[in-house]
Amino acid sequence: MKRRDFVAGGTKCALAGLAGLTGLGARPVAPSVAGTGPRTDLVIRGGTLVDGTGTSPRAGDVAVVGDRIAAVGRVSVAGATEIDARDMAVAPGFVDIHSHADLSLLVNPRAESCVRQGVTLAVVGQDGSSIGPWGDGAFESARDRYRRSYGVEIDFRDIGGFLDRIDRVHPAVSVASMVGHGTVRNYVIGGADRPATETELERMRALVRDGLAAGAVGLSTGLEYTPGSFATRDELVALAAELRGTPYPYATHMRNEDDRLLAALEEALHVGRAAGVAVQVSHLKAQGERNHWKAVAALAAIEAARAHGVDAHFDRYPYAAYATGLSNLFPASARAGGAERFLARLADPEAGPALERACRDKIALLGSWDVVRITRIGGPNAWARGRRLGELAAERGEDPYALTVRLLREAGGSVGMIGFGMSEENTERVLAHPLGMVCSDGGAYAPYGPLSDSSPHPRGYGTFPRLLGRYVRERKAMSLEAAVHKVSGLPARKLGLADRGVLRAGAVADVVVFDPGGVADRATFEDPHRYPAGIPHVVVRGVLTIRDGERTGRTGGRAVRGGGVGRQA
């Protein structure tokens, strides 16, 4: 008999034994040990169950055996480990539907900024950028950078290899990935600003199919970034159509999120409609005061698309500031061909003045140079990290545009920034909308080691506790059960993950225990490397990873793979 068949048989035999010990009739899925009767590894006892479905909370216990929830209700058997959850909420582990943790999980598998928020599954490969497929140049660049900066060996070139590595590393959170359109386009076409040929398009379609076959759970685009911005609408439809027959979404960072927001949204919804696939609008926002009114119109457009058969949702982080690269103050066309050509255009006496005007127009849209905060920069200009451009320029007696160009030039074009461009009123409105999910749009960090060497957006530490503290408890923008649904059951369903995002017997044992009266984010823009409050216990695939607010030293994360290629009629 195969080992997995033996384990499965033991699991089925235990059902009857545990069924009599659970007062609410939940169907338990738990093995028993011969001669000892029913057994549970962990019982979370006496909490308020917020089960991820959006239904009203109720009192009860959660029993865990192995990596599965064995029973939900009144559990009378003892657990090898017991957690007292009185006065606490017990919820499914949070699904970060739009994460940039990716390779940082190999640098520090503890993923403390994620798991301490209650995140148990990070969905990476976002904004058109996934871990492969890489050609020789991209692979060697990533390998050399991670070897030099972190002592991490990159030994894979595609999503399948990355997910296999996650299974070997066992980080603190589980990981799913989308296929990045920009990564695929770069592999086939490079950084050229032109449409794909028919041959190139077919190669890209084949690479999307390969990614899905390796376990990817969607296709992402980053249409404000190069080379994704060079794709035509027809290219996007053709590649998204590879998702047909799967539950996986076309997740899009749209072409524009300010003056041309509504046109960009129309394109995103058209792609889903024409390809016959689900749509996930990434980090929906309306940047710049003159565009704030468009948030209501954007929500109405998504509602209308759903009414006409498009399975459309969106996600958003609970902050009025975004994060990107400093080079995004310039048009995508200026960044064609890579950093070297971009920097050459900035210095070119013919092209430079037009790029300066475009950059200053972007700053006028946002409000001032002080809405731009430098987050990621190394070398001799590390002094700029965490500072606002306007303040820095004034201190140094330098024109802010000239300072921007100098920082980019001296960092090889790679500088991170935070921009303060959205309204708090719209942030609350978007978060509370029933079609919205909540994402961090952030990486994995820690206040120690190499992942502390930046000044990131505080969403990397505070997204989920901020939702529960500020927008549920303080602002009362939504109910607790609605908020939990947005970060568990709803994203799991969007990705076709039937055994995640819910407290139910047989589901994967991802569980978070938090204090509804005390959960809060503590990370700020000035001091971002701060863990949240009020989340004492986190279980990832049955492994108690955070207990009483401290790491246990045990991690349970694994790769989460989709079911394969679609394209069914």
Side-chain angles (χ1 to χ4, degrees):
M1 178 181 291
K2 294 181 180 179
R3 181 181 182 276
R4 69 180 179 188
D5 293 335
F6 173 79
V7 172
T11 296
K12 292 176 182 177
C13 290
L15 298 182
L18 274 174
L21 300 174
T22 55
L24 296 186
R27 181 177 182 267
V29 180
S32 61
V33 180
T36 64
R39 170 184 69 85
T40 56
D41 296 324
L42 171 67
V43 176
I44 301 170
R45 201 174 294 284
T48 298
L49 306 182
V50 190
D51 67 8
T53 66
T55 57
S56 298
R58 66 190 190 278
D61 312 323
V62 176
V64 173
V65 174
D67 65 358
R68 296 280 162 169
I69 294 175
V72 177
R74 293 191 300 276
V75 176
S76 58
V77 297
T81 299
E82 298 240 350
I83 296 293
D84 182 354
R86 285 175 295 178
D87 302 321
M88 295 283 178
V90 181
F94 302 151
V95 178
D96 190 347
I97 189 70
H98 185 109
S99 167
H100 290 284
D102 297 273
L103 292 177
S104 58
L105 296 174
L106 306 185
V107 177
N108 185 348
R110 295 170 177 172
E112 293 205 58
S113 69
C114 303
V115 73
R116 287 177 179 269
Q117 292 189 62
V119 172
T120 57
L121 173 60
V123 186
V124 302
Q126 299 294 343
D127 293 336
S129 179
S130 56
I131 305 305
W134 288 334
D136 289 344
F139 167 70
E140 290 165 6
S141 176
R143 180 198 62 193
D144 294 348
R145 181 162 66 92
Y146 275 80
R147 179 185 291 165
R148 179 179 62 253
S149 299
Y150 305 116
V152 171
E153 287 296 322
I154 304 298
D155 58 356
F156 45 83
R157 293 172 177 253
D158 55 24
I159 290 171
F162 171 62
L163 295 177
D164 289 345
R165 180 70 171 271
I166 289 294
D167 275 338
R168 296 196 301 271
V169 169
H170 298 175
V173 297
S174 293
V175 181
S177 180
M178 296 194 176
V179 183
H181 160 256
T183 302
V184 167
R185 195 175 214 272
N186 187 65
Y187 185 92
V188 173
I189 300 174
D193 182 359
R194 63 170 177 80
T197 66
E198 284 298 318
T199 299
E200 290 167 339
L201 184 59
E202 185 50 46
R203 287 183 65 199
M204 288 192 285
R205 293 176 67 176
L207 289 171
V208 173
R209 290 195 295 272
D210 289 346
L212 292 171
V217 295
L219 172 71
S220 79
T221 66
L223 301 182
E224 281 193 309
Y225 304 119
T226 62
S229 57
F230 306 139
T232 64
R233 182 178 292 199
D234 288 345
E235 175 180 319
L236 300 176
V237 171
L239 296 181
E242 296 299 330
L243 301 170
R244 194 179 301 148
T246 77
Y248 312 134
Y250 167 74
T252 179
H253 176 139
M254 300 183 296
R255 290 191 194 273
N256 187 269
E257 298 176 319
D258 46 63
D259 287 348
R260 297 181 300 282
L261 165 65
L262 298 180
L265 178 58
E266 186 279 327
E267 177 185 61
L269 297 172
H270 168 80
V271 170
R273 186 181 301 110
V277 301
V279 174
Q280 182 78 11
V281 177
S282 298
H283 40 62
L284 180 66
K285 65 177 75 73
Q287 289 181 170
E289 185 174 356
R290 69 187 183 222
N291 296 306
H292 287 171
W293 66 272
K294 295 176 182 176
V296 173
L299 293 173
I302 295 171
E303 292 170 358
R306 282 191 65 85
H308 289 85
V310 180
D311 180 11
H313 291 86
F314 59 88
D315 50 62
R316 174 61 189 275
Y317 42 83
Y319 297 85
Y322 64 94
T324 187
L326 192 63
S327 60
N328 269 48
L329 293 176
F330 298 86
S333 58
R335 294 175 266 126
E340 187 174 339
R341 292 187 180 182
F342 167 57
L343 295 175
R345 292 183 185 105
L346 292 180
D348 184 87
E350 293 187 6
L355 296 181
E356 178 177 352
R357 288 193 296 273
C359 178
R360 291 187 184 276
D361 286 346
K362 181 73 170 183
I363 293 298
L365 166 71
L366 295 174
S368 77
W369 290 98
D370 276 335
V371 304
V372 177
R373 180 189 291 274
I374 302 298
T375 59
R376 174 181 42 79
I377 190 169
N381 292 323
W383 48 265
R385 192 182 304 139
R387 300 292 306 282
R388 294 180 183 250
L389 267 178
E391 294 174 355
L392 282 175
E395 286 178 8
R396 304 175 73 84
E398 195 170 355
D399 176 75
Y401 177 77
L403 175 60
T404 298
V405 172
R406 182 166 67 81
L407 292 177
L408 284 166
R409 184 178 65 249
E410 294 176 3
S414 181
V415 179
M417 64 161 276
I418 289 171
F420 296 81
M422 294 87 81
S423 78
E424 176 58 35
E425 180 183 7
N426 277 341
T427 297
E428 184 170 316
R429 175 183 289 116
V430 170
L431 288 171
H433 194 281
L435 296 179
M437 304 173 204
V438 179
C439 69
S440 75
D441 194 13
Y445 310 98
Y448 58 85
L451 298 184
S452 67
D453 190 23
S454 66
S455 182
H457 195 299
R459 65 195 183 189
Y461 283 85
T463 287
F464 299 93
R466 184 175 177 85
L467 173 75
L468 299 169
R470 176 175 175 80
Y471 292 98
V472 174
R473 184 179 63 246
E474 297 174 8
R475 299 288 300 172
K476 295 180 173 53
M478 68 200 86
S479 67
L480 180 62
E481 56 268 31
V484 169
H485 179 57
K486 286 174 175 289
V487 299
S488 57
L490 184 57
R493 189 179 72 201
K494 189 74 176 184
L495 299 174
L497 303 176
D499 60 353
R500 292 177 186 268
V502 290
L503 296 180
R504 183 181 63 226
V508 173
D510 291 340
V511 187
V512 57
V513 180
F514 64 92
D515 175 9
V519 62
D521 61 309
R522 298 195 296 182
T524 65
F525 290 100
E526 295 74 23
D527 186 11
H529 290 285
R530 300 186 67 193
Y531 298 136
I535 304 179
H537 312 294
V538 182
V539 179
V540 182
R541 291 184 70 256
V543 176
L544 187 55
T545 300
I546 302 295
R547 183 172 188 178
D548 297 322
E550 300 296 334
R551 284 190 297 111
T552 65
R554 302 174 62 223
T555 56
R558 297 291 190 279
V560 175
R561 295 174 177 83
V565 180
R567 294 190 72 191
Q568 300 172 14

